[in-house]
Amino acid sequence: MKYLLLIHSNPITWGHPSFLHTEEGKKLPKKARDALAAQLDKLLDELHTSGELINAVPLDPPSKTRVVRVREGVRATTDGPYSEAKEQLAGVFLIDVASPERAEEVAATIPEAEFVAVEVRPVSVFD
C-alpha cells in the first residue's frame, strides 16, 4: 500500500534561512536541531534498507511559493503559500508499506510529528 506522508512544519523549528534574521526566527538550539537531523537520517536509512521508501522530498521555503488559480478561463498567480498559517507543507515522503498502521508508525517517527503534524494519505490508483 502506498502512502504520501505530508510533513507540516514551522520553519522556526529547523531555523529555516528565511526566518533567521527576524525576531520570529529564534530557532531551536543547535544541539536540538542536530538531534532531530540525526533522527531523520536514521529514519531515512531504515526505510531505504527495508525497501519501504520510494522518495523523500523537502520543499523550498514559502517565500518561493506561487499559487495558481484559474477563474472563468483566466489564470491568476500570486506569491506565497495558499494559507497564511505559520505552519507550512515542508516536504513529503512517498512510502510503500504493508498496512495503514505501518504508515502511521513511520509518520510518528518523523521529527515534525512532535511539533506540528504529519498527514498520512493513501495514494489512489487511476484505473
Side-chain angles (χ1 to χ4, degrees):
M1 302 174 72
K2 291 182 182 168
Y3 289 88
L4 188 64
L5 306 181
L6 297 113
I7 303 164
H8 299 275
S9 184
N10 186 323
I12 296 168
T13 303
W14 292 93
H16 198 285
S18 63
F19 285 87
L20 288 181
H21 302 293
T22 68
E23 187 58 35
E24 218 178 2
K26 302 288 185 194
K27 60 182 182 276
L28 288 176
K30 182 174 179 357
K31 186 175 181 178
R33 283 184 291 122
D34 290 348
L36 292 172
Q39 179 183 345
L40 181 60
D41 287 344
K42 180 179 181 225
L43 173 61
L44 290 170
D45 287 343
E46 289 173 359
L47 292 173
H48 180 72
T49 300
S50 71
E52 294 173 309
L53 181 65
I54 296 171
N55 203 355
V57 181
L59 300 175
D60 272 350
S63 62
K64 294 184 177 182
T65 301
R66 306 284 285 164
V67 177
V68 177
R69 294 176 179 85
V70 177
R71 301 294 184 266
E72 297 180 15
V74 177
R75 184 181 74 203
T77 304
T78 57
D79 292 334
Y82 177 74
S83 70
E84 294 296 322
K86 288 183 182 182
E87 291 76 25
Q88 65 182 23
L89 181 61
V92 297
F93 282 23
L94 181 58
I95 58 174
D96 190 354
V97 294
S99 67
E101 293 78 19
R102 175 63 181 147
E104 291 174 14
E105 181 181 307
V106 171
T109 61
I110 295 173
E112 279 79 7
E114 287 184 51
F115 302 101
V116 183
V118 176
E119 184 177 341
V120 178
R121 189 172 297 183
V123 175
S124 294
V125 178
F126 290 111
D127 291 332

